[in-house]
Amino acid sequence: MAEFFQDGPRLSNTWDGDRALRRCLARLLPADVLAEVGPGLRSLGARAAGEMAELAAAAEASPPRHVPFDAWGRRVDRIETSPAWERLHAIAAEEGIVATAYERRHGPLSRLHQFARLYLYHPSSAIASCPLAMTDGAARVLELFADEELAARALPHLLSRDPATFWTSGQWMTERAGGSDVGDTATVARRDGARFRLHGSKWFTSATSAPMALTLARLEGAPAGSRGLTLFYLELRDERGELQGVRVLRLKDKLGTRALPTAELELDGVPARQVGEAGRGVATVATLLNVTRLYNACCATGTLARALQLARDYARRRRAFGRPLAAHALHVETLAGLAAEHAAALQLTFRCAELCGREETGEATAAERALLRLLTPIAKALTGRQAVAGAAEALEAFGGAGYVEDTGLPVLLRDAQVLAIWEGTTNVLALDALRAAAREEALPPLVADLERLLAAARGGPLVEAAHRLRQLAGACQAWWRRTAPEGGEALEMGARAFALGLGRAYAGALLVAQAAWEVEQGDGEEASSAVAVARRFAEAHLSAPPGLSADADAARRLVFAGEPEEGA
């Protein structure tokens, strides 16, 4: 008997293999725009499945290295990254992953085109997409708030398609005391003539090898708290290529994102330029965070796509109990659930991209701006959690092979986990969603838009799905009306359930709208598939999420019963 060796999953062109993406764009983009951008997306899909996938594996196998001193004892703090990592950055420039949005060739639709490129790029990037997120966010901040001289210096680099001149940007917000609470930022900015010098430390800085960064600091004499913070621009190296006032203390040893250099830094007089108004740093940097949160959602959705593509291919290659996995009903049912979550994440993310493009080009209505403000933290929170759950489900679909590093599969889960943490954890984002609902009065625009989307379900099998999604949205809305006026712990405790429930209801409504559009197009196979996805997603979320009736005292007893009080 011949010795048996199992074939692993094979990745083919990721554009051709992603019907959900192609059909979503077919609905959102005019036919002439899709015809123009489609060949480039197909080319990138081939590159992602071939050259980029090989580079990502090589970058993962050769993580960055911190060299603190040269051979003669001079402090150099050089961060060495692999040639594969550098090549992935070059490909990002060549493919216009950042530039596409700012060239605005297609006006407000340029963000949709850009997000399609990012979605295809990310899963084969070894998380080079992280520096790109901060680069895009920095570009938007400088576009809006930088003086003419600074914008002229930095923006051409950030938006370049030439790898030789392309810059990425760091985002240095996290400090030892602060974490998500940037109000505790201790970095001080001291004036030095026409510029400032920064003194302090940064606990978690991604893309530390980038040529520039944006960071928060407190002007000398400014009040404590977030209202005393100002945003600053800095370049890490001087004209000779030497670090100027920046010391790398160590690289972080992380669960995932192993090719990405993430460091602890000490700032000892690094020269910096103020961006935006003094004392308005948090409001200014919010522009950056809005971009990076949407990038995070897009990357999470791309992760789901890659997990599904690999699991689907393997289901045809792996035989168990005399049949391919693709012939086992329960296995197919499991993958169908993963496909529905992916489709929902895709629709939600690309709706945000659509609104972002309209907002950036001045075409968004007041209601659309409020809707984007609320959807941004919701989309980031929901898709981040979907990516972690989806990657775990996909690994299980490979059995033991999914747990073995040299199959290249565990990286899906290791890298997905950070997507629920970066740019705000679920709880931080849920509280931000509460602020958007309260300060921007953003809940009525979301509910109105959800109703507009569900109105497409005029009859047939989508009616029941629409009904269930209305119930879910209604439960969240009723909780808000009941709880928001009183505030307090009840409001805070229900924040996560509120944000995730709204996100699922709205994503489901987008699936219904997509399915109704497919029915109108008259393609029976596409229509039946889209209807099945919408119905499955709606049926998976039948009732209000737990947490909308949370009891603070009961929660404390559940978590801390029998534990001594702090300091006892």
Side-chain angles (χ1 to χ4, degrees):
M1 180 180 293
E3 192 172 4
F4 172 77
F5 293 97
Q6 175 64 49
D7 284 341
R10 297 176 191 171
L11 195 61
S12 58
N13 187 304
T14 57
W15 164 262
D16 290 340
D18 198 326
R19 180 174 64 182
L21 173 63
R22 296 197 312 274
R23 300 307 296 172
C24 178
L25 291 180
R27 179 173 67 87
L28 294 176
L29 294 177
D32 61 330
V33 174
L34 184 58
E36 181 180 336
V37 305
L41 294 173
R42 176 168 287 110
S43 174
L44 179 53
R47 201 172 195 180
E51 175 192 6
M52 285 184 60
E54 293 175 3
L55 289 169
E60 175 81 4
S62 299
R65 188 170 72 97
H66 175 213
V67 181
F69 301 98
D70 71 8
W72 306 102
R74 297 181 184 87
R75 186 89 193 200
V76 292
D77 281 323
R78 187 170 65 250
I79 296 177
E80 296 179 347
T81 54
S82 73
W85 175 255
E86 300 302 326
R87 180 60 190 145
L88 287 166
H89 278 74
I91 290 172
E94 294 166 0
E95 294 288 349
I97 302 300
V98 177
T100 297
Y102 293 86
E103 292 164 350
R104 300 192 172 107
R105 179 181 178 87
H106 301 293
L109 301 176
S110 298
R111 274 290 182 190
L112 280 169
H113 178 203
Q114 181 211 26
F115 266 51
R117 302 190 76 79
L118 173 64
Y119 170 95
L120 294 169
Y121 174 89
H122 162 76
S124 294
S125 74
I127 315 297
S129 51
C130 168
L132 299 183
M134 294 180 285
T135 302
D136 195 329
R140 184 60 178 157
V141 166
L142 296 179
E143 183 179 53
L144 291 175
F145 300 107
D147 59 52
E148 186 175 341
E149 180 186 358
L150 178 56
R153 172 166 178 75
L155 282 174
H157 288 291
L158 298 176
L159 305 180
S160 176
R161 287 179 177 262
D162 180 359
T165 59
F166 177 58
W167 283 3
T168 55
S169 175
Q171 172 188 321
W172 300 353
M173 304 300 163
T174 306
E175 299 192 0
R176 284 192 292 269
S180 296
D181 182 5
V182 297
D184 277 342
T185 293
T187 299
V188 174
R190 296 173 182 155
R191 184 171 288 280
D192 180 16
R195 63 181 178 180
F196 295 86
R197 291 190 177 273
L198 307 185
H199 299 265
S201 62
K202 298 295 177 179
W203 179 245
F204 199 97
T205 63
S206 291
T208 313
S209 55
M212 59 156 285
L214 294 179
T215 188
L216 291 172
R218 197 178 307 280
L219 293 168
E220 283 191 301
S226 60
R227 293 184 179 179
L229 296 176
T230 300
L231 187 66
F232 291 90
Y233 164 96
L234 61 89
E235 294 178 16
L236 279 74
R237 298 182 180 274
D238 60 21
E239 294 80 2
R240 297 171 298 174
E242 296 180 359
L243 286 173
Q244 45 182 359
V246 177
R247 176 167 292 183
V248 180
L249 301 180
R250 64 169 175 165
L251 291 179
K252 296 288 193 181
D253 185 8
K254 300 164 292 179
L255 170 67
T257 68
R258 292 177 178 176
L260 172 68
T262 304
E264 295 172 29
L265 302 179
E266 179 182 328
L267 310 184
D268 186 17
V270 56
R273 297 177 61 162
Q274 181 177 321
V275 179
E277 295 181 38
R280 294 274 300 164
V282 173
T284 306
V285 83
T287 298
L288 185 154
L289 291 175
N290 288 337
V291 172
T292 55
R293 284 174 174 178
L294 293 183
Y295 260 67
N296 199 98
C298 190
C299 293
T301 306
T303 296
L304 283 167
R306 178 60 54 85
L308 181 61
Q309 288 162 355
L310 292 173
R312 187 172 55 211
D313 181 82
Y314 190 69
R316 297 188 180 101
R317 298 180 186 280
R318 173 64 175 165
R319 295 181 64 85
F321 306 104
R323 293 181 295 165
L325 291 178
H328 289 272
L330 183 54
H331 191 80
V332 173
E333 167 67 15
T334 302
L335 295 188
L338 180 58
E341 292 293 325
H342 163 251
L346 178 72
Q347 292 287 338
L348 181 58
T349 297
F350 277 71
R351 175 57 172 153
C352 289
E354 181 183 30
L355 291 167
C356 180
R358 291 181 58 77
E359 191 274 335
E360 289 179 344
T361 55
E363 297 191 21
T365 65
E368 287 175 328
R369 291 194 297 272
L371 176 59
L372 177 61
R373 171 68 182 89
L374 180 53
L375 282 182
T376 295
I378 286 176
K380 191 280 177 184
L382 179 59
T383 57
R385 298 184 68 77
Q386 287 174 306
V388 176
E393 191 72 83
L395 260 60
E396 190 175 341
F398 292 97
Y403 200 66
V404 177
E405 282 287 354
D406 61 7
T407 64
L409 295 168
V411 67
L412 286 171
L413 183 56
R414 287 192 284 102
D415 285 354
Q417 185 62 63
V418 81
L419 297 172
I421 298 172
W422 274 344
E423 314 307 331
T425 62
T426 305
N427 285 355
V428 167
L429 293 160
L431 294 173
D432 193 30
L434 291 187
R435 285 190 289 273
R439 297 175 186 174
E440 312 290 335
E441 297 184 354
L443 185 56
L446 186 148
V447 173
D449 203 51
L450 181 142
E451 285 295 336
R452 176 187 65 83
L453 294 166
L454 293 180
R458 298 182 181 90
L462 290 173
V463 171
E464 181 60 26
H467 174 67
R468 288 173 171 168
L469 293 166
R470 282 192 181 96
Q471 285 185 315
L472 176 56
C476 294
Q477 192 177 19
W479 173 84
W480 173 258
R481 288 171 175 167
R482 182 175 66 250
T483 311
E486 296 182 4
E489 285 189 329
L491 183 65
E492 181 177 330
M493 291 189 71
R496 177 190 283 237
F498 172 73
L500 296 178
L502 277 181
R504 290 194 172 277
Y506 191 82
L510 290 164
L511 288 175
V512 167
Q514 179 75 35
W517 179 84
E518 297 286 7
V519 170
E520 289 179 0
Q521 301 306 300
D523 187 324
E525 182 178 351
E526 294 291 356
S528 61
S529 175
V531 168
V533 167
R535 292 181 65 186
R536 173 180 285 272
F537 189 79
E539 289 168 1
H541 308 288
L542 298 178
S543 59
L548 293 185
S549 58
D551 182 318
D553 291 335
R556 287 193 182 90
R557 288 194 298 271
L558 181 63
V559 177
F560 298 112
E563 292 290 322
E565 295 290 333
E566 184 177 352

